Amino acid sequence: MGVLENKARARLFYKYLSKVYDQVNPFIWNEEMRDEALEMLDIQQDDRVLDVGCGTGFGTEGLLRYTDDVHGLDQSIHQMQKAWEKFGKNDEVRFYRGDAERLPFADDSFDVIWSSGSIEYWPNPVDALEEFRRVVKPGNKVLVVGPDYPKTGVFQKLADAIMLFYDEEEADRMFEDAGFVDIEHHILQRQPGSPRAIVTIARAPEDE
């Protein structure tokens, strides 16, 4: 487990990163990549959407282009304060401070779940994905963006020491273990040589 796959250390990390997050983030996950991922979801105007690990609201901004019913959850109060500056505490978006592995919502609460740049900090990603499956409506989709596993040994060792990096095979395992179906992956990259993001879309099974 990487050093930042610990909730207390991750919160401390984001306490300081929140000050420069919006300036640093575009070098790894920019608007073009975000918008391309959003187009993979068929979000309707009246959909109720949850943004898990919403951070400063970068993904939230994109979601608001599709629907007015967006809810953001994050464990870092410092990241959320940046989001409040953009959207207000409960104006455009309703925000919740909470844990991806214990979502504070009833079953079948959302039409779509989006999460970008959060899974790499979850100590138990399958537990969080099971929560996604619980709160998304049966038959509906979730989309998760995380860091693609490096291709070279040196960077693999560095990645393993810091946080969760994973490839398509590992993503399949996690989503299947959480009970999702129709799992597909897309690799996005700002430019050749820059960090690669793995975008996974999966569907919660219909009620049996």
Side-chain angles (χ1 to χ4, degrees):
M1 180 178 289
V3 66
L4 291 180
E5 289 177 85
N6 171 282
K7 293 171 186 177
R9 285 195 291 263
R11 284 194 295 269
L12 181 62
F13 174 72
Y14 269 109
K15 176 180 179 180
Y16 298 102
L17 183 62
S18 63
K19 302 177 187 300
V20 296
Y21 183 85
D22 286 339
Q23 288 73 46
V24 173
N25 190 52
F27 293 99
I28 301 170
W29 177 245
N30 61 20
E31 288 187 12
E32 291 77 12
M33 297 165 72
R34 178 199 65 192
D35 293 348
E36 185 175 346
L38 281 166
E39 290 176 3
M40 299 174 191
L41 288 170
D42 185 24
I43 301 175
Q44 302 299 304
Q45 190 171 7
D46 60 349
D47 280 348
R48 188 170 192 245
V49 180
L50 176 62
D51 183 359
V52 177
C54 62
T56 65
F58 181 70
T60 315
E61 288 176 310
L63 292 167
L64 285 168
R65 297 177 187 171
Y66 294 84
T67 176
D68 294 329
D69 196 357
V70 177
H71 302 252
L73 177 140
D74 204 281
Q75 70 159 340
S76 168
I77 191 67
H78 301 93
Q79 291 282 83
M80 292 178 68
Q81 285 171 345
K82 295 292 184 181
W84 294 341
E85 291 173 7
K86 298 175 183 177
F87 309 109
K89 281 192 177 182
N90 288 295
D91 297 337
E92 292 183 81
V93 179
R94 183 167 182 183
F95 288 101
Y96 312 80
R97 190 177 183 191
D99 188 334
E101 296 174 8
R102 292 188 298 274
L103 295 175
F105 308 109
D107 295 359
D108 309 339
S109 294
F110 295 94
D111 298 291
V112 178
I113 297 180
W114 163 281
S115 182
S116 55
S118 182
I119 187 174
E120 55 264 40
Y121 302 104
W122 303 342
N124 303 292
V126 173
D127 290 350
L129 293 174
E130 287 176 342
E131 281 289 271
F132 283 24
R133 182 169 60 83
R134 180 182 67 79
V135 303
V136 75
K137 293 177 181 177
N140 287 23
K141 291 181 179 180
V142 306
L143 183 149
V144 176
V145 183
D148 188 42
Y149 198 60
K151 304 303 180 186
T152 59
V154 173
F155 287 108
Q156 287 174 353
K157 291 180 180 178
L158 179 62
D160 290 340
I162 298 173
M163 59 180 70
L164 175 66
F165 286 71
Y166 56 95
D167 57 16
E168 294 185 14
E169 182 178 353
E170 177 65 7
D172 276 336
R173 184 197 66 77
M174 292 189 295
F175 278 80
E176 287 172 358
D177 286 353
F180 284 97
V181 297
D182 299 337
I183 303 164
E184 60 182 68
H185 313 288
H186 306 267
I187 301 298
L188 300 182
Q189 191 174 26
R190 182 175 64 88
Q191 64 183 34
S194 65
R196 290 155 49 102
I198 179 169
V199 178
T200 300
I201 304 173
R203 185 172 59 83
E206 300 281 356
D207 284 333
E208 297 180 355

